[in-house]
């Protein structure tokens, strides 16, 4: 396993973080496990909550810092666009240009529901657009576009990771629909694949390592203990995915 890890560490790693609302806290555990394994992404792309966590990584934050940020934040407040933008302004650089490495926040442009990868300009409005849930939020107006939550057009941004130069893509997938379908035995690679949107199936085809945390119901509670449960779920899933992947290569 150490030889395979060493080989992986020499590649340009892309990290794709899916949407999934509060479930996205499990992304922090994925990051923590990757750090322990010595895997450092050099490209990060995030959709919805994945853009929020991904921006923290691209800004150079360690998993412990991101975890503490999550524990100290009453996450339902971030469903409000104004409060979310203020949170971003207080915790992240002002623009994409000030990040440590390439980052994309995925949004959906109305009215055609087209995917847009935001990679330049103001960070807080980009993340706000990526997280602008329908019914709960108005569209974010940015550069002449009316933008809503990226999950409607690209819930798992593995393709964008490739487009930004990643040689190996690790996808952290906490999307509710994929979790529900898998729990019912409906796989995106079998005859039931039509239950999954094309953009999700395409994302999996661009993914080298798929991490799919099992999210505990208690993780939805807006408190520090729930954040820790989510982080643990992400850690477990990451180690399981790496061991399964390496076992397959070794065989």
């Amino acid at each position: 396993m150490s030889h395979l890890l060493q080989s992986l560490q020499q590649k340009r790693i892309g990290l794709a973080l899916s949407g999934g609302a509060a479930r996205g806290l499990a992304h922090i555990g994925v990051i923590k496990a990757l750090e322990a394994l010595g895997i450092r992404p050099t490209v990060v792309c995030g959709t919805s909550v994945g853009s929020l966590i991904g921006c923290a990584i691209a800004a150079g934050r360690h998993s412990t810092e991101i975890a503490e940020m999550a524990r100290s934040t009453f996450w339902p407040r971030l469903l409000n666009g104004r409060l979310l933008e203020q949170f971003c302004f207080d915790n992240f650089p002002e623009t994409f240009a000030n990040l440590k490495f390439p980052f994309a926040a995925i949004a959906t442009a109305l009215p055609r529901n087209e995917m847009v990868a935001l990679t330049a300009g103001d960070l807080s409005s980009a993340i706000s657009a990526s997280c602008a849930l329908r019914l709960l939020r108005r569209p974010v107006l940015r550069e002449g576009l009316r933008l809503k939550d990226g999950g409607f057009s690209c819930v798992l941004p593995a393709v964008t990771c490739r487009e930004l130069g990643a040689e190996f893509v690790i996808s952290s997938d906490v999307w509710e629909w994929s979790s529900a379908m898998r729990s019912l035995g409906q796989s995106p690679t079998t005859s039931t694949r039509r239950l999954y949107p094309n953009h999700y199936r395409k994302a999996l085809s661009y993914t080298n390592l798929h991490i799919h945390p099992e999210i505990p119901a208690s993780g939805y509670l807006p408190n520090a203990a729930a954040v820790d449960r989510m982080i643990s779920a992400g850690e477990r899933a990451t180690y399981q995915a790496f061991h399964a992947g390496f076992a397959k290569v070794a065989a």
Side-chain angles (χ1 to χ4, degrees):
M1 181 171 174
S2 59
H3 174 73
L4 293 169
L5 275 175
Q6 186 175 12
S7 174
L8 187 56
Q9 290 163 0
Q10 296 172 357
K11 293 183 180 294
R12 186 171 171 80
I13 304 297
L15 180 61
L17 303 177
S18 80
R23 299 165 63 89
L25 292 168
H27 290 321
I28 303 172
V30 173
I31 298 161
K32 182 179 179 181
L34 292 178
E35 289 172 349
L37 291 167
I39 303 297
R40 297 183 180 276
T42 54
V43 172
V44 177
C45 299
T47 294
S48 196
V49 66
S51 72
L52 186 61
I53 304 296
C55 184
I57 306 168
R61 297 292 185 91
H62 190 272
S63 63
T64 55
E65 296 177 273
I66 304 173
E68 186 52 41
M69 190 186 307
R71 294 188 192 100
S72 61
T73 302
F74 183 67
W75 67 256
R77 287 171 53 86
L78 301 185
L79 296 174
N80 177 285
R82 182 180 59 82
L83 295 177
L84 173 60
E85 291 197 21
Q86 186 61 50
F87 175 87
C88 294
F89 183 81
D90 292 340
N91 290 281
F92 304 139
E94 184 175 350
T95 69
F96 282 83
N98 300 122
L99 296 173
K100 303 292 185 181
F101 49 80
F103 165 68
I106 305 301
T108 300
L110 301 177
R112 296 187 178 181
N113 289 336
E114 295 175 338
M115 189 275 283
V116 176
L118 304 173
T119 58
D122 180 73
L123 266 173
S124 60
S125 65
I127 295 171
S128 181
S130 184
C131 296
L133 292 170
R134 291 187 180 182
L135 302 181
L136 293 180
R137 294 271 311 278
R138 294 178 179 178
V140 173
L141 302 180
R142 192 178 191 275
E143 299 176 1
L145 297 174
R146 295 174 62 240
L147 302 173
K148 291 287 280 185
D149 188 282
F152 294 100
S153 57
C154 178
V155 73
L156 184 62
V159 176
T160 306
C161 278
R162 292 284 188 185
E163 293 173 344
L164 292 180
E167 300 172 305
F168 188 99
V169 176
I170 299 171
S171 289
S172 178
D173 179 6
V174 296
W175 187 33
E176 301 97 325
W177 181 258
S178 65
S179 295
M181 289 298 97
R182 283 182 170 84
S183 69
L184 296 173
Q186 309 302 316
S187 169
T189 59
T190 63
S191 60
T192 59
R193 62 184 180 275
R194 292 185 181 277
L195 294 172
Y196 295 83
N198 288 334
H199 62 78
Y200 180 78
R201 300 201 307 267
K202 185 175 181 180
L204 293 184
S205 72
Y206 278 71
T207 295
N208 298 102
L209 187 72
H210 185 211
I211 301 171
H212 196 256
E214 294 185 10
I215 306 298
S218 58
Y220 288 88
L221 300 173
N223 57 45
V227 172
D228 290 337
R229 294 187 194 101
M230 290 289 206
I231 293 173
S232 294
E235 281 187 272
R236 286 193 301 273
T238 303
Y239 288 121
Q240 290 168 0
F242 267 91
H243 281 295
F246 290 146
K248 184 176 180 180
V249 171

